[in-house]
Amino acid sequence: MLPGILGALLAAAVCWLLFNIGVTTSYSLWHQLTYLLSAVFWCGFGALGCCFAGMLMHHPAH
């Protein structure tokens, strides 16, 4: 779980840099922050979902 969240944070930093390089119009800091936090949330949520699915596959219900 921890590598997934760390990967999401690293990817968010890279995406923020790409966002600032590629965008010609200026967005506020709050807009950029909410964009990054939502990306980290969904990456973490996906990592937790994969962990949950893996646990279900390895431990079938009785």
Side-chain angles (χ1 to χ4, degrees):
M1 180 174 87
L2 188 59
I5 294 173
L6 290 176
L9 290 173
L10 180 64
V14 171
C15 288
W16 181 73
L17 287 173
L18 292 174
F19 186 78
N20 282 329
I21 291 171
V23 174
T24 57
T25 59
S26 178
Y27 289 103
S28 70
L29 179 64
W30 292 112
H31 181 267
Q32 293 178 14
L33 185 62
T34 56
Y35 176 78
L36 288 175
L37 289 177
S38 69
V40 170
F41 170 79
W42 286 112
C43 286
F45 189 70
L48 288 173
C50 289
C51 287
F52 180 69
M55 287 172 45
L56 287 178
M57 294 293 188
H58 291 295
H59 300 291
H62 294 260

